[in-house]
Amino acid sequence: MPRIHFGDWVESAVDWLQSHLGWLFDLVNVVLDGMYDGAVAVLGGAEPLLMAAILAVIAAWLRGLVPGVLAFVGLALIDALGLWQDAMDTLSLVLVAAVITVVIAVPLGIWAAGSKRVSSLLRPVLDVMQTMPAFIYLIPGVMFFGVGSTPGLLATIIFAMPPGVRMTELGIRQVDPELVEAATAFGTSPRDRLTRVQLPLALPTIMAGVNQVIMLALSMVVIGGMAGAGGLGEQVYSAITQLKVGLAAESGVAVVILAMYLDRMTGALNERVSPLGRRALAKAAAARRSALVHYRPAGAVAVVGVVVLALVAGGLNWAGSGDAEATANGRQGRDAGKTVDLGYFPWDEAIAATYLWQNVLEDRGYRPKVRQLDPGPLYSSLAGGQMDVQLDAWLPTTHKAYWDKYGSRLEDLGSWYGPTSLELTVPSYVKGVDSLADLKGQSAKFGGKIIGIEASAGMMGTLNNRVLKAYGLQGEYKVVSSSTSSMLAELDRAIKKKEPVVVTLWSPHWAYGKYDLKKLKDPEGAWGKGERIHTVARKGFSDEFPELAGWLRDFKLTEEQLASLEVAIQKGGAGNEKESARTWLDAHPGIEDKMAPVS
C-alpha cells in the first residue's frame, strides 16, 4: 500500500495558518494571557497565609468548619514547601481554563441534548479530543503561540471539554420525560422549559461534569509545564528532567492538595446551587446533633470574612510594593526595572550560567525570569520573541539544525566558553574499549544500547546521523533517548554495580570530576571539531537592552571557573541553584563587576 504522508499535510496546514492567521493567534494570545495574568494578580498577589485563609473561608462555607480548617492546613503546607507562587499560578491556569471550558461545553451539551444529529456529529469529535495523547496538543500550541500560558490553556481546554459536553447532554436527557410533557402541557415556552425544568433537574449531573473538567484541567496543566506554562507543572517537569526526587515529591504533594481542594469544593458547590442539593443539605443538617463540627457559615458571613481578609491582604500588598520600589530605585543598572526572560535546558553549564546571570541582573536592578524548556521549544520561543536570552547555544555543530531554522530571527552575542567537545564515554574499568572503533562487535557487552539525552538535542542528531555511520555501528547499537538526568542516573547506577555502560557526554561536565571515566577517541573525526558555547538572543534584543547586550558579549568564564560553579550548584542540591550561584559569586569577588560593569 502506498505511503500516506499525512504528517506532511499537517505541517503544510500549520505553515499556512501561521502565514495567514497570525493576527488571530496574536489576538487569542493577548486575551488568554490577560485572563491568566488577572487571575495570577488576584490569587498570587496577597500574602500566602491570608490567601490561604480566604480559600479556607470559602471551604468552610461550602463544606463546613472542619474542612475549612483542613483546607487552611493543606494550603499552609504548600507555602511551607516554598511552592506557594507556583501553586497559585497553577490554580490560575486551572480556573481560567475551567471557566472557558464550561462556557463552551454546557451550551454544546444543551444543543446536543436537543438534537440527535448534533449529538452524533459531536460524538466522534469528542472521542478524538479525549483519546488523543495530551502531549500532542502542546505542539501546535507552541508553534502558534510560543511558550507560556496560552499553549497550556488551549491544550487544557481541548483535553478537558469532552466530559463537560457529555455530562450536560446526559443530565438533560435523563430528566423525566413526563415532567417535560407536563411543562409543555401548561404552555411553557421551550426556553422556560429548559431553564426552569430541565437544567435545575440536570444540575447535579452537570456539576459532576464540571468537577471532571476541573480535575482534567489540573492534570493537563501539569503537562503544560513542558511548554513553559509555569506553575507546579514546571516544577514537576524540572524534577523529572533533572532527576530531583525531593522536588518531585514536594511538587506532587502540592498538586495533590490543590486537587483535593478543587474536587471537594466543586462537589459541595452542587449542594449550594442546586435545588435538589439544597434540599438534601437541609435534611442532613436537621439530622445532625453536633452543630459546631458541622457548622457552615451563612453566605453573608462568608462574604464578610472574604472581604475583610482581602482588604487586609491588599493593604499589606500596597505597603510591600512601596518598599520594593524604594529598594529598586537604589540599584545602579541603566535599565533597572526591566524584565528579562532567561531560558535554559537542563544541561549543567546552562543551569550554572543562567542562575549566575540571574543573581547578577537582580543586583543591577533588572527583573530576570528563569524558565526551563527543551531545546526545540526554547529556540522556537526565542525566534518568536517570547524569550529574551539563552546562554547555552553549542555552535556550529550541536545546535546547527536550530540555527539553520531560526538563525535569521536570532542574535548571536558571541561565545563565552570553548572549545568544547562531544563524546561517547565509558567507565575506566571497561577494558578493551578506548575509541569509537572499539565498540564495533561489542554491543552484547553494553546490552546493545547507547544511553543518550534529550531527543531534541543536536548532539543526538549528530550521533545518529554521523557517528554511528562513520564507525559502522548502525543496527548494532540502539541509541536510547532519555534526558540528561536520566543518562547520569544510569551512569551512576552502572558504576555502582561495576557494569559496562556507554553514554553520551560532553566537555565541560562535572561528571568527569566525580567519576573515573574514559572518553572514547574519535579517529574519524565524526563528532566534528570542538565547539564554543554562545549566548543567543531574540532579534532586536540589543536595541532594547544595549547595556545588557554589551555585558553578555564580553562575558567569559574559564574552565576552572565554570567547573567550580557547576560543583557549587551540585553541592547546593536541587531547588537551590540560585542560592548556590549566589554563594559562588560571593566567594569570587570582582567577577560580578567584570561581568556587569557600571559607571
Side-chain angles (χ1 to χ4, degrees):
M1 187 172 179
R3 170 78 160 85
I4 299 177
H5 297 279
F6 178 70
D8 294 339
W9 301 341
V10 172
E11 289 189 8
S12 299
V14 169
D15 291 339
W16 186 90
L17 289 172
Q18 287 178 312
S19 301
H20 294 82
L21 295 179
W23 61 270
L24 178 60
F25 299 136
D26 292 340
L27 177 62
V28 172
N29 207 1
V30 169
V31 172
L32 293 183
D33 271 346
M35 294 177 66
Y36 169 71
D37 291 341
V40 171
V42 172
L43 294 174
E47 288 292 324
L49 293 183
L50 282 174
M51 180 53 68
I54 291 173
L55 296 175
V57 169
I58 296 174
W61 172 63
L62 288 173
R63 291 191 60 88
L65 184 61
V66 173
V69 172
L70 292 176
F72 180 80
V73 171
L75 294 168
L77 176 59
I78 293 177
D79 182 39
L81 293 173
L83 295 171
W84 179 262
Q85 190 58 54
D86 292 314
M88 292 303 101
D89 291 348
T90 294
L91 185 57
S92 299
L93 284 165
V94 170
L95 294 180
V96 171
V99 168
I100 296 174
T101 303
V102 170
V103 167
I104 298 173
V106 171
L108 283 176
I110 294 172
W111 192 16
S115 171
K116 290 185 178 179
R117 177 175 295 180
V118 173
S119 178
S120 61
L121 290 175
L122 281 178
R123 191 174 298 116
V125 175
L126 296 175
D127 289 340
V128 171
M129 292 169 67
Q130 198 165 20
T131 56
M132 184 74 71
F135 295 96
I136 292 177
Y137 296 129
L138 296 177
I139 300 173
V142 170
M143 295 186 71
F144 292 140
F145 305 100
V147 297
S149 59
T150 299
L153 283 170
L154 289 175
T156 301
I157 291 167
I158 295 171
F159 186 69
M161 190 174 295
V165 177
R166 285 183 163 135
M167 295 297 279
T168 300
E169 180 185 359
L170 178 64
I172 293 176
R173 288 187 181 277
Q174 286 183 337
V175 173
D176 192 341
E178 294 183 358
L179 293 176
V180 178
E181 291 177 5
T184 304
F186 279 100
T188 307
S189 66
R191 177 179 296 178
D192 288 339
R193 192 162 58 242
L194 174 66
T195 57
R196 297 187 178 185
V197 178
Q198 292 174 301
L199 283 179
L201 294 175
L203 199 54
T205 305
I206 294 174
M207 290 304 299
V210 172
N211 176 272
Q212 290 304 301
V213 165
I214 292 177
M215 291 298 100
L216 287 175
L218 182 60
S219 67
M220 188 62 192
V221 161
V222 172
I223 295 174
M226 297 180 64
L232 293 172
E234 185 174 336
Q235 296 297 328
V236 172
Y237 175 56
S238 175
I240 292 172
T241 55
Q242 299 181 44
L243 214 67
K244 299 177 179 178
V245 179
L247 179 60
E250 292 174 352
S251 303
V253 167
V255 171
V256 168
I257 292 172
L258 279 186
M260 292 177 65
Y261 180 86
L262 292 171
D263 178 61
R264 303 303 189 271
M265 295 310 106
T266 52
L269 189 60
N270 175 50
E271 298 177 348
R272 289 292 190 180
V273 300
S274 166
L276 297 176
R278 288 197 297 268
R279 187 181 305 169
L281 184 63
K283 288 183 179 180
R288 290 175 184 139
R289 297 181 179 180
S290 174
L292 180 61
V293 174
H294 300 284
Y295 169 72
R296 297 188 186 194
V301 175
V303 169
V304 170
V306 169
V307 169
V308 170
L309 290 169
L311 290 174
V312 174
L316 291 176
N317 226 19
W318 176 79
S321 63
D323 294 340
E325 185 177 354
T327 301
N329 287 337
R331 302 291 177 87
Q332 295 180 324
R334 184 184 305 169
D335 294 317
K338 285 189 176 181
T339 300
V340 181
D341 291 309
L342 303 173
Y344 73 95
F345 34 88
W347 291 9
D348 294 281
E349 71 282 349
I351 295 171
T354 302
Y355 282 101
L356 176 64
W357 270 106
Q358 183 185 23
N359 281 286
V360 171
L361 291 179
E362 286 182 351
D363 289 346
R364 293 296 183 259
Y366 291 83
R367 295 178 180 175
K369 293 182 179 179
V370 174
R371 182 179 297 170
Q372 177 186 322
L373 295 166
D374 273 348
L378 179 52
Y379 274 96
S380 175
S381 62
L382 283 169
Q386 290 85 26
M387 299 294 291
D388 290 317
V389 179
Q390 76 102 346
L391 293 132
D392 201 32
W394 285 53
L395 296 174
T397 304
T398 304
H399 291 165
K400 181 180 185 299
Y402 296 119
W403 190 257
D404 290 343
K405 184 174 183 179
Y406 300 112
S408 61
R409 290 177 282 168
L410 302 176
E411 290 185 8
D412 184 359
L413 300 181
S415 66
W416 58 270
Y417 182 89
T420 65
S421 64
L422 304 176
E423 53 256 352
L424 292 184
T425 300
V426 298
S428 60
Y429 55 74
V430 177
K431 305 301 181 184
V433 179
D434 299 301
S435 75
L436 293 172
D438 295 333
L439 291 174
K440 183 71 175 176
Q442 299 204 53
S443 60
K445 179 184 293 186
F446 302 100
K449 296 185 297 184
I450 297 173
I451 309 301
I453 52 174
E454 293 80 4
S456 58
M459 178 184 191
M460 295 290 284
T462 303
L463 174 61
N464 284 297
N465 299 329
R466 290 174 51 186
V467 176
L468 297 185
K469 183 178 180 180
Y471 292 94
L473 304 178
Q474 291 175 318
E476 183 178 356
Y477 287 87
K478 177 183 178 182
V479 179
V480 180
S481 299
S482 57
S483 66
T484 302
S485 57
S486 298
M487 176 273 293
L488 293 170
E490 179 65 17
L491 177 63
D492 183 76
R493 185 199 64 80
I495 289 176
K496 288 178 178 177
K497 293 185 175 183
K498 290 286 185 179
E499 294 177 349
V501 65
V502 55
V503 302
T504 55
L505 210 55
W506 54 92
S507 300
H509 198 285
W510 58 265
Y512 287 112
K514 182 176 180 179
Y515 305 111
D516 188 7
L517 301 175
K518 180 167 46 176
K519 298 179 184 180
L520 299 186
K521 297 176 183 178
D522 179 19
E524 300 294 332
W527 282 115
K529 296 180 180 179
E531 300 181 86
R532 304 193 75 86
I533 303 177
H534 289 240
T535 300
V536 171
R538 59 174 172 80
K539 200 75 172 178
F541 177 81
S542 297
D543 296 332
E544 186 176 348
F545 297 91
E547 181 183 47
L548 176 53
W551 293 345
L552 292 171
R553 286 192 180 95
D554 296 334
F555 172 52
K556 305 290 181 185
L557 282 183
T558 66
E559 182 174 358
E560 181 182 356
Q561 289 172 332
L562 179 57
S564 63
L565 176 58
E566 289 182 352
V567 169
I569 290 177
Q570 286 293 319
K571 289 182 178 178
N576 299 312
E577 292 85 358
K578 181 183 176 184
E579 293 76 11
S580 301
R582 164 57 62 188
T583 301
W584 183 88
L585 197 60
D586 293 340
H588 293 76
I591 285 185
E592 180 169 353
D593 290 335
K594 186 176 181 181
M595 290 173 60
V598 289
S599 55

